[in-house]
Amino acid sequence: MARNKIALVGSGNIGGTLALLAGLKELGDIVMFDIADGVPQGKALDIAEASPVEGFDAKMSGGSDYSVIKDADVIIVTAGVPRKPGMSRDDLIGINSGVMAQVGEGIKKYAPNAFVICITNPLDAMVWVLQQKSGLPANKVVGMAGVLDSARFRYFLAEEFNVSVEDITAFVLGGHGDTMVPSVRYSTVAGIPLPDLVKMGWTTQERLDQIVQRTRDGGAEIVNLLKTGSAFYAPASAAIQMADAYLKDKKRVLPCAAYLDGQYGVKDLYVGVPTVIGAGGVERIVEIQLDATEKAGFDKSCDSVRQLVQICKDLDAKKA
Ligand code: A3D
């Protein structure tokens, strides 16, 4: 059986980490692409040279021509620019929407059967552009944000309760930005919902509110520490989990930026919701009953994503 082919479009900080993780997990052969000629080739060779030590078999290659992504099974897109301190994700829209248009064309031409995971920010708007420009079915184009946001939430909760990160499930809805909606009542420690843990005296509502806010600001916290770019280890881990779910048909229930066509009362928008990911791509959108506060937060988040998508449409119309 031939190995799967994983194409990484963008070979910067996240792209390099993706290649290493995909190699270590033996997800398939990996091809890296970037406009900065030499970088994808150099990183691919460097990681290939780690394979005898780490004990994994995967072909690693790189290039600057879209033909290298030909017939990829999975494509993970990080091409574009990241944030610097003082910038919001939305400040990236002018440059990155143009990049998504190019990447979409490349995917349409060379890998129309791929499962595409977008990471480039501002995420929910960029994955919308990527789906439009690639012409791939909406269930095969998805955005990574929820797995990362909920991982951050889980990590902060594990620290608060002094329990294993593995025993915490966390649930985050909405766009990847300041308006994201971490759901307290659907997040648990070994099945015990957070509001019950407050009643049990494990934490206070005030502490939980602080953790929710820290989760919302999780990206900015790293940007302010690094000063030269944004988070890359955890974002790469999150996208690899999604790729793994698709390649192994695991039917994982993962929060992703998925295309909504009426679910949650939203149409023609990518936004973070729980999904089932398996060999069919996004196989199902899990529609939970939102309470009034969650619904208000979710609607506000959708409005801000809608505004960004409109900016992308206006930029595209100007170019045409
Ligand atoms: P960085 O290390 O700068 O890598 C980006 C790469 O894209 C660079 O190597 C560039 O040369 C390359 N590139 C630029 N333009 C093009 C193009 N037209 N075609 C192909 N390649 C191109 O950034 P990074 O890896 O740290 O981050 C990549 C993206 O992910 C940024 O937009 C970040 O904002 C975003 N990001 C998203 C999350 C989410 O949770 C959604 C988290 C962290 C970062």
Side-chain angles (χ1 to χ4, degrees):
M1 205 170 75
R3 285 189 204 138
N4 291 312
K5 175 170 175 177
I6 297 150
L8 307 174
V9 178
S11 303
N13 280 335
I14 303 180
T17 314
L18 286 168
L20 180 61
L21 287 174
L24 289 171
K25 290 173 189 271
E26 290 196 325
L27 289 188
D29 291 335
I30 292 138
V31 57
M32 305 183 72
F33 171 91
D34 204 288
I35 46 165
D37 193 30
V39 172
Q41 295 91 333
K43 289 197 178 181
L45 181 59
D46 191 11
I47 294 169
E49 289 167 358
S51 66
V53 182
E54 294 294 343
F56 63 83
D57 287 298
K59 278 197 190 115
M60 296 269 171
S61 59
S64 294
D65 188 297
Y66 272 103
S67 58
V68 299
I69 72 168
K70 193 172 183 326
D71 296 335
D73 299 291
V74 169
I75 300 178
I76 309 181
V77 179
T78 58
V81 289
R83 284 198 282 172
K84 301 246 161 60
M87 286 173 93
S88 81
R89 293 179 179 90
D90 303 356
D91 293 333
L92 308 173
I93 199 164
I95 298 174
N96 286 354
S97 63
V99 174
M100 288 308 99
Q102 288 170 14
V103 176
E105 295 291 337
I107 293 173
K108 181 190 240 169
K109 184 163 177 197
Y110 289 108
N113 296 317
F115 179 57
V116 180
I117 302 168
C118 179
I119 307 186
T120 302
N121 270 320
L123 192 268
D124 307 87
M126 293 305 98
V127 65
W128 187 91
V129 175
L130 194 59
Q131 192 271 328
Q132 288 279 312
K133 297 291 177 181
S134 65
L136 265 58
N139 64 312
K140 297 291 285 292
V141 183
V142 67
M144 185 296 294
V147 176
L148 171 64
D149 294 332
S150 59
R152 286 178 173 150
F153 198 15
R154 286 170 69 191
Y155 173 70
F156 300 148
L157 290 168
E159 268 198 316
E160 171 69 4
F161 298 131
N162 195 22
V163 299
S164 166
V165 288
E166 287 188 70
D167 293 322
I168 303 208
T169 58
F171 198 105
V172 174
L173 282 162
H176 180 60
D178 309 332
T179 57
M180 80 174 80
V181 190
S183 166
V184 166
R185 74 192 171 108
Y186 279 124
S187 301
T188 76
V189 175
I192 309 166
L194 296 185
D196 290 8
L197 290 161
V198 174
K199 283 185 209 144
M200 287 156 62
W202 277 41
T203 186
T204 61
Q205 189 56 47
E206 197 188 1
R207 292 280 306 151
L208 272 190
D209 292 344
Q210 284 165 0
I211 290 172
V212 164
Q213 194 53 44
R214 189 174 177 200
T215 303
R216 282 204 189 99
D217 299 337
E221 186 176 355
I222 306 266
V223 169
N224 290 332
L225 288 167
L226 294 181
K227 297 183 185 71
T228 52
S230 53
F232 52 99
Y233 294 114
S237 288
I240 289 291
Q241 185 173 64
M242 293 164 66
D244 186 63
Y246 171 75
L247 290 169
K248 297 184 184 157
D249 191 22
K250 284 178 77 85
K251 308 201 187 295
R252 292 288 318 261
V253 181
L254 298 173
C256 302
Y259 185 81
L260 298 186
D261 187 24
Q263 298 94 338
Y264 289 94
V266 175
K267 255 188 133 43
D268 190 28
L269 204 67
Y270 271 89
V271 70
V273 290
T275 66
V276 176
I277 297 198
V282 175
E283 296 184 348
R284 202 188 319 165
I285 286 170
V286 183
E287 253 185 298
I288 59 157
Q289 281 287 331
L290 301 178
D291 67 22
T293 319
E294 289 160 351
K295 173 99 175 68
F298 184 75
D299 288 348
K300 190 170 157 219
S301 190
C302 290
D303 283 345
S304 68
V305 175
R306 222 174 261 117
Q307 282 170 20
L308 292 179
V309 169
Q310 190 56 49
I311 296 174
C312 294
K313 287 180 183 169
D314 294 346
L315 286 170
D316 205 36
K318 254 192 220 160
K319 269 186 218 142

